[in-house]
């Protein structure tokens, strides 16, 4: 159950940040829709890290890589909140966040799939459901009465909770596996 709760935070934070970012770019930096789109697209190359995360899982394990991804994504949010008045820094920080997300997804899928055993398909289905529930909640989070920096810090805290849930689940799984 803990990895599923952590999965909810992944696309919730992704959708919430990008939903809230557009209006900030328009009002604070005077960007038009096409330039807002370009800023959003800046994170796209970071998604190419997903296959690398799969390789890291084989070297370091699913829990370590997933926790590192959550922490990296949270750090990206903290950096965005700290650099909110500098567009280039805001963009770079958003790329860091997306790199964290690109690390989380394959590692959590591997974690859930590996623990699923003979019920792997069902376990992965629940993981997908948790991710999509989080994505559905993202616009609501973006609409909370918070300044953009406050939203980012709240989402960073949520990602840190996600990292903790994955770490605890790893410890619990190790305790169950021990004789």
């Amino acid at each position: 159950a803990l990895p599923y709760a952590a999965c909810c935070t992944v696309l919730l934070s992704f959708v919430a940040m990008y939903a809230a970012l557009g209006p900030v770019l328009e009002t604070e930096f005077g960007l038009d829709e096409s330039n807002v789109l370009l800023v959003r697209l800046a994170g796209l190359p970071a998604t190419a890290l997903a296959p690398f995360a799969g390789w890291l899982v084989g070297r370091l394990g699913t829990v370590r890589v997933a926790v590192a991804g959550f922490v990296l994504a949270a750090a990206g949010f903290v950096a965005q909140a700290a650099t909110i008045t500098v567009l280039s820094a805001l963009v770079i920080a958003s790329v860091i966040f997306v790199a964290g997300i690109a690390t989380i997804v394959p590692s959590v899928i591997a974690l859930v799939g590996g623990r699923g055993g003979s019920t792997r398909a069902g376990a992965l289905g629940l993981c997908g459901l948790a991710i999509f529930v989080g994505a559905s909640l993202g616009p609501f989070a973006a609409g909370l009465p918070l300044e953009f920096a406050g939203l980012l810090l709240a989402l960073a805290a949520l990602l840190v909770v996600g990292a903790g849930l994955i770490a605890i689940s790893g410890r619990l799984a190790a305790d169950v596996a021990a004789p």
Side-chain angles (χ1 to χ4, degrees):
L2 296 178
Y4 299 124
C7 284
C8 283
T9 69
V10 178
L11 285 189
L12 185 156
S13 62
F14 187 88
V15 171
M17 187 275 285
Y18 278 112
L21 179 63
V24 168
L25 294 173
E26 292 170 355
T27 59
E28 300 298 319
F29 298 101
L31 299 184
D32 62 16
E33 288 182 23
S34 62
N35 285 320
V36 168
L37 180 60
L38 290 175
V39 170
R40 288 179 171 155
L41 288 174
L44 189 59
T47 63
L49 291 176
F52 179 67
W55 177 82
L56 280 176
V57 163
R59 301 259 185 222
L60 303 173
T62 55
V63 171
R64 285 187 183 129
V65 175
V67 168
F70 277 100
V71 170
L72 183 61
F77 275 160
V78 171
Q80 277 185 293
T83 61
I84 199 157
T85 59
V86 181
L87 182 59
S88 59
L90 189 63
V91 171
I92 291 167
S94 73
V95 172
I96 293 168
F97 162 72
V98 173
I101 296 297
T103 304
I104 294 168
V105 173
S107 58
V108 169
I109 289 171
L111 177 103
V112 169
R115 290 185 187 166
S118 64
T119 60
R120 177 177 308 200
L124 289 172
L126 286 174
C127 181
L129 174 64
I131 289 171
F132 294 136
V133 165
S136 299
L137 295 174
F140 295 105
L144 291 173
L146 296 171
E147 295 291 325
F148 187 58
L151 174 66
L152 293 171
L153 294 174
L155 292 171
L158 193 61
L159 289 168
V160 169
V161 168
L165 292 172
I166 294 294
I168 291 167
S169 78
R171 175 58 90 187
L172 292 175
D175 288 347
V176 169

